[in-house]
Amino acid sequence: MKRHIALLLALSLVLLVACAGQSASSSQETETQELIEVGVSQTGAESDWRVASSESIKSVFTEENGYQLLFDIAKQKQENQIMAVRKFIQQQVDYIVLMPISETGWDSVLQEAQEAGIPVIIADRAVDVEDDSLYTAHVGSDFRLEGEHAVKWIEEHYGNEPVNIVHVQGTIGSTAQLGRSAALEDAAEEHESWTILTQLDGDFTQPKAYEALCDYFSAADSLPEIQVVYCENDSEAFGAIKALREYGYTVGGENGVSILSFDATRSGLMSCMAGDIALDVECNPDLGELIENIIQQLERGETPEKNSYVRESFFTSAQLTQTLIDKRSY
Ligand code: AHR
């Protein structure tokens, strides 16, 4: 909006100068071109994945590319994200990008953005709102599908053998947790031989996953037999591996505990190649260009797809080489 007012002023100025018989040079015209203001509310910096997703956005929304980026990190708190979005509304940015911590609780603030006429793009996780018109488009991962890849690995690897599973969940209420957890919970219901021993809150961080597992082990009368630890991201997997080893478990190999993880960051894949993580399902953090595509479509007056998902793969040690890992951007 501010951009439109500034453009009008710039245009009037150029006309005045022209009337006075002076011609504006093309370089002066370029200088008056306004940047597109984009306010981004990022969840936090809880994992390597999150840091990579922030980098991806910062590398695209640069002044050289025609953008003014306002970037806020909410330290994993929804109230901070709501405050950031309200500030972007006050600042009358051209677009708001929200990377929501949880699915619910966004209706009011999105309504405020809509009333201010600012398009909101949801990135990474999704929002669950009464009225879908409160956001313009969403681009992110299909977290349920990611979970299904991991579940399939358990099926293929253990067949009908008994499988005791420790489930370390991500930030409760986030789409990443809901999708990945639902895939495991549904499969466990379908397979009589699978038992989810416990569900622990790892909040997508290494220290929380480590503490949650240590607390679980220290509270147990005797250490449980575990075949699988299903961690909802690489950071949690590193915390889980540390705790398991400290409590005397073998990780990986034929008879060790199988660690399943998500993200497939460079360090996750290194751990996978070393045999500590049995399967690492990719979660693609390179959202910057995809968000920019949506903004460019809107700038041209086009209607972007309402929901789009990034393509993702999965890795076992058999597929990994150092060269492949080195090519990874995160
Ligand atoms: O929403 C994406 C998830 O959030 C990633 O799996 C995780 O690492 C991040 O914190």
Side-chain angles (χ1 to χ4, degrees), residues 46-47 49-50 124-125 143 176 180 204 232-233 263 283:
E46 73 281 5
S47 60
W49 185 98
R50 184 66 53 197
D124 168 27
R125 304 168 184 173
F143 298 107
R180 292 168 187 168
F204 286 130
E232 291 189 354
N233 77 349
D263 284 358
C283 182

Side-chain angles (χ1 to χ4, degrees), residues 165-168 195-200 213 216:
I165 303 165
V166 168
H167 181 188
V168 187
T195 309
I196 298 182
L197 296 175
T198 185
Q199 290 185 304
L200 307 169
L213 270 156
Y216 171 62

Side-chain angles (χ1 to χ4, degrees), residues 19 26 48 89 107 214 226 228 230-231 244 251 327:
C19 289
S26 60
D48 287 352
I89 297 171
D107 297 70
C214 290
I226 302 171
V228 169
Y230 184 99
C231 300
L244 284 160
V251 172
K327 279 193 199 141

Side-chain angles (χ1 to χ4, degrees), residues 21-327:
Q22 294 172 6
S23 65
S25 75
S26 60
S27 69
Q28 278 171 324
E29 278 170 23
T30 317
E31 273 170 30
T32 57
Q33 250 188 9
E34 272 294 314
L35 301 171
I36 300 175
E37 276 191 357
V38 181
V40 176
S41 168
Q42 173 61 288
T43 309
E46 73 281 5
S47 60
D48 287 352
W49 185 98
R50 184 66 53 197
V51 173
S53 77
S54 294
E55 288 309 316
S56 164
I57 289 170
K58 286 179 186 168
S59 69
V60 168
F61 292 102
T62 60
E63 291 198 6
E64 301 79 70
N65 289 345
Y67 297 97
Q68 180 75 53
L69 175 65
L70 306 165
F71 196 85
D72 185 88
I73 299 190
K75 298 187 184 143
Q76 294 269 76
K77 288 201 170 16
Q78 186 173 33
E79 59 266 33
N80 290 346
Q81 288 206 281
I82 292 175
M83 273 195 306
V85 172
R86 291 213 165 109
K87 197 159 175 220
F88 295 148
I89 297 171
Q90 273 170 15
Q91 290 168 312
Q92 297 183 324
V93 297
D94 298 300
Y95 298 94
I96 292 173
V97 176
L98 172 63
M99 306 184 80
I101 181 150
S102 55
E103 283 201 350
T104 56
W106 301 106
D107 297 70
S108 306
V109 77
L110 292 184
Q111 182 78 45
E112 291 164 36
Q114 191 174 64
E115 280 160 14
I118 304 174
V120 177
I121 296 148
I122 308 292
D124 168 27
R125 304 168 184 173
V127 292
D128 180 3
V129 282
E130 288 269 310
D131 171 7
D132 273 3
S133 79
L134 290 179
Y135 67 91
T136 303
H138 163 248
V139 59
S141 298
D142 185 340
F143 298 107
R144 167 81 199 206
L145 182 64
E146 291 177 356
E148 282 167 9
H149 291 315
V151 158
K152 195 155 177 247
W153 186 93
I154 307 177
E155 282 168 347
E156 287 173 356
H157 200 78
Y158 289 97
N160 289 324
E161 287 170 41
V163 192
N164 285 348
I165 303 165
V166 168
H167 181 188
V168 187
Q169 297 181 287
T171 305
I172 304 298
S174 66
T175 317
Q177 176 270 314
L178 294 168
R180 292 168 187 168
S181 290
L184 178 66
E185 286 162 357
D186 290 352
E189 283 211 356
E190 283 166 23
H191 295 78
E192 274 182 24
S193 58
W194 294 18
T195 309
I196 298 182
L197 296 175
T198 185
Q199 290 185 304
L200 307 169
D201 181 3
D203 203 19
F204 286 130
T205 72
Q206 182 166 342
K208 284 213 183 155
Y210 170 76
E211 269 170 41
L213 270 156
C214 290
D215 290 349
Y216 171 62
F217 293 142
S218 59
D221 293 336
S222 61
L223 288 177
E225 213 181 289
I226 302 171
Q227 277 73 40
V228 169
V229 179
Y230 184 99
C231 300
E232 291 189 354
N233 77 349
D234 284 345
S235 305
E236 290 182 347
F238 302 139
I241 292 169
K242 187 167 182 269
L244 284 160
R245 289 201 168 125
E246 280 179 16
Y247 278 82
Y249 288 91
T250 304
V251 172
E254 266 307 293
N255 301 313
V257 179
S258 301
I259 308 289
L260 304 190
S261 184
F262 296 86
D263 284 358
T265 55
R266 205 180 297 143
S267 44
L269 293 184
M270 287 297 289
S271 183
C272 188
M273 194 166 70
D276 292 346
I277 292 177
L279 175 81
D280 208 346
V281 181
E282 184 178 41
C283 182
N284 189 343
D286 291 329
L287 297 171
E289 278 183 21
L290 301 170
I291 298 167
E292 199 211 2
N293 277 345
I294 293 173
I295 290 180
Q296 285 305 321
Q297 285 177 54
L298 293 168
E299 286 286 299
R300 292 194 295 271
E302 297 167 9
T303 308
E305 219 176 303
K306 188 77 182 182
N307 284 297
S308 47
Y309 295 109
V310 283
R311 281 168 70 90
E312 294 169 337
S313 177
F314 48 87
F315 303 91
T316 61
S317 66
Q319 294 148 262
L320 289 169
T321 60
Q322 191 62 49
T323 322
L324 195 146
I325 296 172
D326 289 344
K327 279 193 199 141

